[in-house]
Amino acid sequence: MNLDLLVFISIAFLSSFGHCYSMCGGFVLLFLNLNKEAKNLFILQIIFHFFRILTYVFLGVLFSLIGNFFLIDTTIQNLFFFIIGLLMIFLGFALIFRGKILFLIENHIFYEKFIIKIFQKAKTYKGVKSAIFLGFFNGFIPCGLVYFFIASAMSRQNILESALIMFIFGLSTLPALFLFSLMAKFLSDLFRNIFNYIAYFAIIFYGLYLSFIGFKNF
């Protein structure tokens, strides 16, 4: 688990400076604009990210319970690991090539139907309400990286480990998103792409590793 945690932290932290900016940036910018005159903006940011991370933990527990149905029998467990590994490889390549596959995975129809409504509703809130509302729904954005971490959570029999994986994901993206307005100005596209590709290849290699474990023990 220690090596896994290092991989998870690296993927989340590196990708947060590129992929997370494009996926979560709208929520963060709207939240900052709604509260730009607030004297307690720092506290509001903490609340925003607390509820974002809380949503990830909730998803980790939920999908861990679903995954446990497949982990009862050893043979089914190994097959499940193999399939989850293949899914991770697929996600990694989808994130690298960013074509129609990623468009399908991250579902831009979802943005048009759901996210716009959330933004419209959020404009009526300020302060703590906006932090809780936008932070909570930020966690449900359809995102290839979130899918990777959910797949990792599903591969764990221990629900606490699954929750920890999603907590680590949220916490590791915190520095970049907390300093979003500052980092977005100073971090060049080149560095963002480098960080992204390192994270995406790590996802592919971790998927290969998990598939190999499942295949070897099948």
Side-chain angles (χ1 to χ4, degrees), residues 36-123:
K36 58 186 176 183
E37 297 180 359
K39 295 181 180 179
N40 59 340
L41 181 58
F42 180 78
I43 301 298
L44 292 176
Q45 283 184 287
I46 292 175
I47 296 171
F48 173 89
H49 289 291
F50 172 80
F51 277 89
R52 178 177 65 87
I53 295 171
L54 186 65
T55 304
Y56 292 145
V57 172
F58 166 74
L59 291 173
V61 172
L62 176 63
F63 281 93
S64 175
L65 292 171
I66 295 172
N68 278 335
F69 283 107
F70 299 97
L71 301 178
I72 298 172
D73 180 77
T74 304
T75 302
I76 297 176
Q77 178 180 352
N78 291 323
L79 177 62
F80 184 68
F81 284 165
F82 180 74
I83 294 172
I84 289 292
L86 291 180
L87 175 62
M88 291 178 180
I89 296 168
F90 173 78
L91 287 172
F93 279 112
L95 288 164
I96 288 172
F97 292 107
R98 304 192 66 81
K100 291 183 178 180
I101 295 175
L102 188 64
F103 184 87
L104 177 64
I105 291 172
E106 295 184 341
N107 198 347
H108 287 249
I109 296 175
F110 178 87
Y111 281 86
E112 295 172 3
K113 300 285 187 180
F114 184 64
I115 300 299
I116 291 176
K117 289 183 179 179
I118 290 176
F119 280 6
Q120 290 172 341
K121 181 69 174 177
K123 289 178 181 178

Side-chain angles (χ1 to χ4, degrees), residues 99-197:
K100 291 183 178 180
I101 295 175
L102 188 64
F103 184 87
L104 177 64
I105 291 172
E106 295 184 341
N107 198 347
H108 287 249
I109 296 175
F110 178 87
Y111 281 86
E112 295 172 3
K113 300 285 187 180
F114 184 64
I115 300 299
I116 291 176
K117 289 183 179 179
I118 290 176
F119 280 6
Q120 290 172 341
K121 181 69 174 177
K123 289 178 181 178
T124 63
Y125 297 140
K126 284 188 178 182
V128 175
K129 281 187 178 181
S130 70
I132 294 173
F133 184 81
L134 286 170
F136 177 76
F137 281 105
N138 192 166
F140 288 102
I141 290 179
C143 164
L145 284 169
V146 174
Y147 295 157
F148 164 73
F149 281 93
I150 285 176
S152 302
M154 286 183 72
S155 68
R156 307 287 168 171
Q157 285 182 299
N158 189 320
I159 294 177
L160 290 178
E161 282 189 18
S162 300
L164 179 62
I165 287 170
M166 298 304 291
F167 176 75
I168 286 172
F169 168 59
L171 198 64
S172 299
T173 60
L174 186 58
L177 292 177
F178 202 91
L179 300 173
F180 176 80
S181 57
L182 180 65
M183 296 300 293
K185 294 178 183 177
F186 292 102
L187 201 62
S188 69
D189 289 340
L190 175 62
F191 280 103
R192 291 183 197 177
N193 288 332
I194 290 173
F195 291 157
N196 276 340
Y197 282 118

Side-chain angles (χ1 to χ4, degrees), residues 22-43:
S22 62
M23 298 303 296
C24 298
F27 274 82
V28 177
L29 280 177
L30 177 59
F31 166 73
L32 291 175
N33 286 333
L34 288 172
N35 298 283
K36 58 186 176 183
E37 297 180 359
K39 295 181 180 179
N40 59 340
L41 181 58
F42 180 78
I43 301 298

